[in-house]
Amino acid sequence: TSIVIYLILFFTVIGSGLMIFLIKGNDQRILKLLLAFSGAFLIGISFLKLVPEVFSSQAKYIGLFVMLGFLIQLVLELITEGAEHGHSHLHSEGEKVSPFLLLTGLCIHSFLEGMPIVGAFSTGIQHTLVLGIVIHNIPISLTLMSLFLHYGLSKKRAVFFLVVFALMTPLGSILSNIIHMISQTSITLYFNYIMAVVIGIFLHVSTSILFETEENHRYNFQKFITVCFGILVAFGLSLI
């Protein structure tokens, strides 16, 4: 049910964000492997499941909406500086970046991702999308909390902002379900277009992760295996 999905989405963010207190500040290996896996999984489900779904519809100009999602994510990264794909870009003490701007950009990103989760559509597509968002949110939440703490927020305030972020994807879904309930006509076109926008966001985020995980743009064997595993899991999911 929708409530179960919302609870999973919410508590994944909260649990992942709070893990920052368990991970040593100088140990980035876990985060980088999570990033590599999530990037590979996102691009895998996008090409193997989500893209075929929206392009098989009768909706016109789907490709333009995919590009729109890609461009929206590009604009959002002017605010967030890549926190959506786990890049912390920590600044010096004299070069602060507003935590509020960071939170705003990530909330818009997260809200948009939740909008295609509409009860009226394929359960398989819904579950694929939700799983992609869940895996994607783990490194985001870790990075977000590390940035909040780095910028001097108290633990209590950082956790409060994390809760706000955790609510955004369910709220996006709730808005779409309200639109579905009050709509007098089929919202299939709406679903396909908003899904296309989210695919564009996924493609931007996943390619950024895969090509920018390391400063020298080279993968070691461990990361290569992790990426292959992420794609393999996405492929297995596409067969269900």
Side-chain angles (χ1 to χ4, degrees):
T1 64
S2 294
I3 294 176
V4 173
I5 289 173
Y6 296 158
L7 288 174
I8 291 170
L9 289 166
F10 178 82
F11 284 108
T12 298
V13 170
I14 299 300
S16 302
L18 294 180
M19 280 173 58
I20 196 67
F21 300 115
L22 302 176
I23 297 176
K24 294 179 181 178
N26 59 354
D27 184 6
Q28 295 294 310
R29 180 179 296 181
I30 295 173
L31 182 57
K32 286 181 178 180
L33 290 177
L34 281 172
L35 279 171
F37 178 82
S38 67
F41 185 78
L42 280 183
I43 205 166
I45 63 170
S46 295
F47 284 124
L48 296 170
K49 193 97 170 179
L50 304 181
V51 168
E53 174 75 15
V54 296
F55 276 91
S56 66
S57 70
Q58 299 301 312
K60 295 181 179 179
Y61 310 119
I62 281 291
L64 285 178
F65 282 85
V66 174
M67 286 301 303
L68 176 62
F70 197 93
L71 292 173
I72 287 173
Q73 183 57 39
L74 199 60
V75 171
L76 288 176
E77 289 197 8
L78 296 176
I79 302 173
T80 65
E81 299 192 357
E84 297 91 334
H85 43 89
H87 287 186
S88 56
H89 298 299
L90 297 177
H91 297 268
S92 65
E93 290 301 318
E95 193 181 359
K96 293 268 188 180
V97 174
S98 168
F100 301 102
L101 276 178
L102 175 66
L103 182 64
T104 299
L106 285 174
C107 282
I108 294 170
H109 168 92
S110 188
F111 189 89
L112 289 171
E113 286 184 339
M115 292 185 74
I117 305 173
V118 187
F121 294 98
S122 165
T123 302
I125 293 297
Q126 270 196 70
H127 289 171
T128 300
L129 178 62
V130 169
L131 187 56
I133 293 171
V134 163
I135 291 174
H136 170 44
N137 275 343
I138 293 171
I140 291 181
S141 304
L142 278 165
T143 301
L144 188 61
M145 279 296 285
S146 70
L147 285 169
F148 284 158
L149 296 172
H150 174 78
Y151 294 141
L153 270 65
S154 66
K155 289 182 180 179
K156 187 181 292 186
R157 202 168 196 189
V159 171
F160 173 75
F161 284 168
L162 183 69
V163 170
V164 172
F165 172 65
L167 289 170
M168 288 301 109
T169 301
L171 286 176
S173 174
I174 288 169
L175 175 63
S176 288
N177 279 287
I178 290 172
I179 291 171
H180 170 59
M181 285 189 291
I182 65 177
S183 177
Q184 300 298 315
T185 58
S186 169
I187 62 164
T188 302
L189 276 180
Y190 165 83
F191 172 80
N192 286 318
Y193 286 138
I194 197 64
M195 178 64 87
V197 169
V198 170
I199 288 170
I201 291 173
F202 277 3
L203 291 178
H204 188 288
V205 170
S206 59
T207 51
S208 295
I209 290 170
L210 295 177
F211 292 111
E212 296 178 13
T213 298
E214 291 290 348
E215 289 77 6
N216 59 8
H217 296 264
R218 298 175 70 180
Y219 281 94
N220 60 31
F221 184 70
Q222 194 175 27
K223 288 192 183 121
F224 174 74
I225 293 298
T226 304
V227 168
C228 290
F229 181 61
I231 293 173
L232 186 62
V233 173
F235 176 70
L237 191 65
S238 72
L239 299 177
I240 299 175

